[in-house]
Amino acid sequence: MADSMISAFESSLDKTNLILKDIENAYGWPKERRNQSYAALRTVLHLLRDRLPVDESVEFAQQLPVLVRGIYFDGWVPSDVPIKLNRDDFLYEVRQGFPYDAEGGPERVTQVVLDTLRRHVTQGEWQDVKDTMPKDLAMMMP
């Protein structure tokens, strides 16, 4: 049993590192900039989570690796969601939560993370998430 728990943890860690690596590859960042890829992922995940209705947020999270799911739910207050955010509000909040200068600013950070997340969840679930977004924000989603 202990071996299977370690294996599950290692699998989640591997999947999380793959997501972070996908973000780094999109920017051409070396692994030494892992803090930036983590900050980008965390910021966009939290805004996405807070924009989604509770049920949809939980369904989306079920497709994330356990470690990313922990990041996703860290600090979540279900009674405070969904928060109304249009595209401009979302990008403003990304800028506030991502303390690094990155090529393309908050729009590119958002696009890179959304593109990455899309590759790690099913098409059906991604479409469900996209369908809950306002049109201007949904247009940013792959």
Side-chain angles (χ1 to χ4, degrees), residues 59-84:
E59 288 175 19
F60 173 69
Q62 289 172 337
Q63 295 204 5
L64 301 173
V66 172
L67 187 55
V68 175
R69 201 176 313 151
I71 296 165
Y72 181 80
F73 283 123
D74 185 43
W76 190 43
V77 181
S79 61
D80 291 349
V81 299
I83 296 172
K84 301 284 185 197

Side-chain angles (χ1 to χ4, degrees), residues 48-60:
L48 195 61
R49 171 202 73 193
D50 290 345
R51 181 62 186 87
L52 291 169
V54 172
D55 290 346
E56 186 55 44
S57 188
V58 172
E59 288 175 19
F60 173 69

Side-chain angles (χ1 to χ4, degrees), residues 1 17 27 31 45 48 56 78 93 101 104 119 122 141:
M1 178 123 149
N17 280 324
Y27 270 106
K31 187 177 179 181
L45 273 176
L48 195 61
E56 186 55 44
E93 294 298 331
D101 289 326
R119 289 190 301 273
T122 66
M141 300 178 75

